[in-house]
Amino acid sequence: MSSLTTLLALADSRLPTGGHVHSGGVEEAVTSRLVVDLETLEAYLRRRIRTSGLVTASVAAAVHRDDLTVAEADAETDARTPSPAARGASRAQGRGLLRLARRVWPAPGQGWAWDELGARPHLAVTAGRVGAVSGLDPFQSALSLVYTTMTGTATAAQRLLALDPADVAALTFSLAPLCEDTAELAAAGLADLSDPLLDELAQRHIQRERPLFVS
């Protein structure tokens, strides 16, 4: 399988990793009237891409290059994710991707086994290892995470606000250059920032009764 085809497959929203049940905080943003239409959704997506998207992708790229051990990457991700709820969402999605990776690449052949990642690895850690095994380069591993950070949240907002799917798709196309620029930054080195608003939304979300999304 070519690296481009692999990249497309990993970015496919139909990938059975559990990502479709996570909104990236936009459900709480909609409830709080911070995201109410296409314009405010664009602002939210740009913020997500430049913060959590960048950080997650930078850890994945570092794992891909073997710049960080699994334990180091886990600790770095925890340090960059102040919200316990956001950490839980990351680990849930990492576990989902790991489950798929065991099926697709049962014998990684990189001098380690999937078991090294543990039972609940962060999404960035799993994605970095998947990128290395599947033949992607670090930039492509980063881009896959940045892209899915955007599209997962955009799709959730589309459902929550009953937006026109064509409008949301056009918005994601317009954000493609930002995704690529962010992936380049992520591949260049570890990002060390967080977003207090996104952390607050993540925490408020888990306190709501019967949310539609897990996070």
Side-chain angles (χ1 to χ4, degrees):
M1 184 183 294
S2 72
S3 60
L4 179 57
T5 301
T6 301
L7 177 60
L8 292 172
L10 289 171
D12 193 328
S13 62
R14 295 169 297 178
L15 204 68
T17 60
H20 65 284
V21 301
H22 296 271
S23 77
V26 81
E27 180 177 0
E28 188 60 36
V30 168
T31 301
S32 302
R33 305 295 293 170
L34 297 175
V35 174
V36 296
D37 54 19
L38 204 65
E39 181 179 357
T40 50
L41 174 60
E42 178 179 357
Y44 187 85
L45 292 177
R46 288 183 177 276
R47 186 167 187 153
R48 280 268 294 160
I49 291 167
R50 289 170 168 156
T51 55
S52 58
L54 171 61
V55 169
T56 303
S58 73
V59 174
V63 172
H64 187 133
R65 293 190 302 263
D66 282 331
D67 290 348
L68 294 174
T69 66
V70 169
E72 290 169 342
D74 189 88
E76 294 289 351
T77 304
D78 272 349
R80 288 161 170 76
T81 315
S83 162
R87 290 199 296 271
S90 171
R91 291 189 184 280
Q93 293 175 80
R95 180 177 56 193
L97 181 57
L98 176 59
R99 177 179 176 274
L100 177 65
R102 290 182 187 275
R103 180 76 60 87
V104 180
W105 301 281
Q110 306 285 321
W112 47 264
W114 292 117
D115 289 346
E116 182 185 330
L117 273 62
R120 297 181 70 247
H122 276 294
L123 175 60
V125 180
T126 310
R129 280 289 170 85
V130 167
V133 169
S134 65
L136 301 184
D137 60 39
F139 167 76
Q140 290 173 324
S141 288
L143 181 60
S144 174
L145 275 184
V146 174
Y147 175 79
T148 53
T149 292
M150 172 187 67
T151 56
T153 299
T155 300
Q158 175 186 309
R159 294 164 60 186
L160 291 164
L161 293 171
L163 297 173
D164 186 330
D167 287 340
V168 175
L171 173 58
T172 60
F173 275 112
S174 73
L175 292 174
L178 176 60
C179 287
E180 294 190 2
D181 290 345
T182 302
E184 287 184 1
L185 286 175
L190 277 176
D192 56 356
L193 53 85
S194 63
D195 188 324
L197 173 61
L198 296 185
D199 292 331
E200 174 67 17
L201 291 175
Q203 287 304 117
R204 280 160 46 183
H205 181 87
I206 63 171
Q207 296 170 2
R208 293 183 59 229
E209 289 188 16
R210 299 182 181 178
L212 294 176
F213 292 87
V214 174
S215 69

